[in-house]
Amino acid sequence: MSNTQQPQGMVPNMNHGGHELFDAHEVLSGFINVLDQYQLFDQHIKDQDLKAILHHQYTFVTDVYNIAVEAFTTGKKPSHVSQPYEMHQNNAVTYGLTPSQPKKPNQSVNEMNEQGVSGHMLGLIKSTGSLLAMTAVEITNPVLRRVIADSVPNFVEMAYEIFLYQNKHRYYQVPQLAPQDMTQMIKGFAPAAKNIIN
């Protein structure tokens, strides 16, 4: 039996390795964590743009969670696949630093604001995307592996959407190097020769 075959008669929902079961539980719990935390964040958002991002991402993650649960429990292709996440922000990034107040921890939950909430959202989405990428390479069930792997670019897009929101409001500033330093760094690599290894 090759290492790509499963034992004869094994039902699709049982073709999981032991390590994979723990990873799948971690991923599904991670999706739940994002959804639960987004519910908590929602009550602290006044800005309608951030609220729209949160609601759009909440709906998308809910669908991804349901697709993953279906693939995990049945071992079969889910009833529908996740569509690529489409953000509503434009790609304009503001470069440079502007003076701002030093950051410090809130003294109470009443001090939560869009800067803090969007920072928490970004952290959640980035860490979940990293978890998905690490987990996808160790999933033995081909259907579940594809569902998890296909979710990675969507979490990248969601994180980028939050970054753009933060950058627009100067919460996430993007410093640049001096032009001569930037030029030297950009020109620091050359194409490789297309040699074949012998």
Side-chain angles (χ1 to χ4, degrees):
M1 180 169 67
S2 77
N3 58 3
T4 59
Q5 295 176 332
Q6 58 184 331
Q8 202 166 19
M10 180 179 274
V11 292
N13 71 335
M14 297 301 285
N15 65 347
H16 298 289
H19 182 77
E20 173 185 357
L21 290 173
F22 294 119
D23 279 350
H25 272 246
E26 187 174 3
V27 165
L28 295 172
S29 296
F31 289 150
I32 291 171
N33 186 41
V34 170
L35 295 171
D36 288 351
Q37 298 235 12
Y38 269 35
Q39 288 179 18
L40 291 172
F41 298 154
D42 189 43
Q43 61 191 315
H44 297 286
I45 299 174
K46 295 180 185 75
D47 180 70
Q48 292 306 306
D49 289 340
L50 184 57
K51 196 171 272 286
I53 291 169
L54 182 137
H55 290 176
H56 183 51
Q57 291 188 359
Y58 183 90
T59 301
F60 188 84
V61 174
T62 300
D63 190 49
V64 170
Y65 168 78
N66 287 333
I67 291 167
V69 167
E70 183 180 354
F72 180 57
T73 58
T74 68
K76 297 177 184 175
K77 185 175 178 179
S79 53
H80 75 282
V81 294
S82 178
Q83 298 302 309
Y85 182 79
E86 293 186 21
M87 65 178 185
H88 302 299
Q89 301 281 323
N90 64 41
N91 289 314
V93 174
T94 302
Y95 294 96
L97 298 175
T98 57
S100 61
Q101 292 295 317
K103 295 179 183 179
K104 61 181 180 178
N106 292 333
Q107 298 301 304
S108 83
V109 74
N110 296 328
E111 294 180 26
M112 288 287 289
N113 59 27
E114 281 71 12
Q115 182 174 6
V117 168
S118 60
H120 292 300
M121 289 169 63
L122 182 58
L124 275 170
I125 297 301
K126 284 172 62 175
S127 62
T128 303
S130 296
L131 174 64
L132 295 172
M134 289 186 298
T135 302
V137 300
E138 296 183 337
I139 300 282
T140 58
N141 179 288
V143 175
L144 183 60
R145 185 193 65 77
R146 176 51 53 205
V147 167
I148 300 299
D150 286 350
S151 297
V152 173
N154 292 320
F155 274 76
V156 170
E157 197 73 0
M158 287 189 288
Y160 189 60
E161 180 179 38
I162 300 165
F163 155 75
L164 289 170
Y165 171 85
Q166 288 195 308
N167 178 254
K168 176 182 171 183
H169 293 277
R170 310 302 285 157
Y171 304 149
Y172 194 130
Q173 297 191 44
V174 182
Q176 289 187 301
L177 298 177
Q180 69 274 12
D181 295 336
M182 192 179 305
T183 300
Q184 184 173 340
M185 294 293 287
I186 291 170
K187 294 185 178 206
F189 297 91
K194 295 181 180 177
N195 296 338
I196 296 175
I197 297 175
N198 292 327

